[in-house]
């Protein structure tokens, strides 16, 4: 049986990486083979593109070039890591995936959703997760967590202004409402353990 593909999505500083780790540990404790990965990145080629996308060197990318680079990184990741893992029955837990391109380069950067999805079809044959967990928090909570995490050292995309990030969160919410079967919106407020329990409940509801 093919494995399951779970993506964790959300704005900056919502705790995706911690929650991804806890989720993977909990699934492994049930005897499931789990591959944890992240975007942009996950393979050598995609990590090289990540460095180009996120470094603060140079003059930066416009939304179109940025979208092509994210789609290229994803194509390598899907072909070399995600599809083979799913094919052998492993579960994949991925920190960000195509909905980040839709929200950041689309909602934030102004590219149409259709264009972002066209690049995804070309690059990754439109592979979508079985379940996308959207971690949602109030914007002021995010700002506090980010100040603690990044201080003055946010990356090129993380460091964009509040209006950009507000468009990103609104876009995520809109995608979740449009595809309620693929998305589970999880309140990311409260303790790490409380959020983990909410994610496990969403998964047993959807992927039982
Ligand atoms: P990362 O350090 O992984 O951020 P976070 O901890 O917030 O997940 O950096 C990834 C950055 O790249 C983040 O700002 C979101 C952005 N991004 C896009 O703009 N488009 C995409 O398709 C992906 C996968 C990420």
């Amino acid at each position: 049986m093919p494995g399951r593909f779970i993506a964790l999505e959300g704005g900056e500083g919502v705790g995706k990486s911690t929650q991804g780790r806890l989720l993977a540990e909990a699934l492994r404790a049930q005897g499931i083979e789990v591959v944890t990965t992240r975007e942009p990145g996950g393979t050598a080629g995609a990590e090289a593109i990540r460095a180009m996308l996120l470094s603060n060197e140079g003059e930066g990318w416009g939304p179109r070039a940025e979208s092509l680079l994210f789609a290229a990184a994803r194509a390598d990741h899907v072909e070399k890591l995600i599809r083979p893992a799913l094919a052998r029955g492993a579960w994949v837990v991925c920190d960000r995936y195509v909905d980040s391109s839709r929200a950041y380069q689309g909602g934030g950067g102004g590219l149409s959703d259709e264009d972002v999805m066209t690049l995804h079809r070309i690059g990754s044959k439109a592979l979508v997760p079985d379940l996308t967990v959207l971690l949602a928090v109030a914007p002021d909570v995010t700002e506090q967590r980010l100040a603690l995490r990044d201080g003055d050292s946010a990356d090129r995309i993380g460091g964009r202004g509040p209006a950009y990030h507000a468009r990103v969160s609104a876009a995520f919410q809109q995608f979740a409402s449009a595809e309620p079967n693929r998305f589970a919106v999880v309140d990311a407020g409260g303790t790490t353990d409380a959020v983990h329990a909410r994610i496990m409940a969403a998964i047993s509801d959807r992927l039982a």
Side-chain angles (χ1 to χ4, degrees), residues 112-183:
S112 75
D113 197 49
E114 200 191 334
D115 282 352
V116 174
M117 290 310 289
T118 297
L119 297 182
H120 187 49
R121 185 168 48 73
I122 296 169
S124 303
K125 297 187 192 156
L127 178 72
V128 283
D130 296 298
L131 179 67
T132 300
V133 176
L134 174 61
L135 291 174
V137 281
D140 52 328
V141 176
T142 309
E143 269 169 42
Q144 284 166 14
R145 289 188 191 174
L146 278 181
L148 282 173
R149 186 188 78 171
D150 293 344
D152 291 331
S153 64
D155 60 53
R156 190 194 291 282
I157 295 175
R160 288 175 186 165
Y164 181 92
H165 290 291
R167 291 199 300 281
V168 168
S169 333
F172 275 130
Q173 289 292 340
Q174 199 187 318
F175 305 151
S177 316
E179 278 188 83
N181 291 331
R182 177 164 70 87
F183 277 87

Side-chain angles (χ1 to χ4, degrees), residues 12 16 50 70 74 96 100-101 104-105 149 157:
E12 314 286 312
K16 285 182 304 303
R50 176 188 178 91
F70 275 113
R74 184 163 302 123
R96 296 194 182 279
S100 280
S101 286
Y104 284 78
Q105 284 65 53
R149 186 188 78 171
I157 295 175

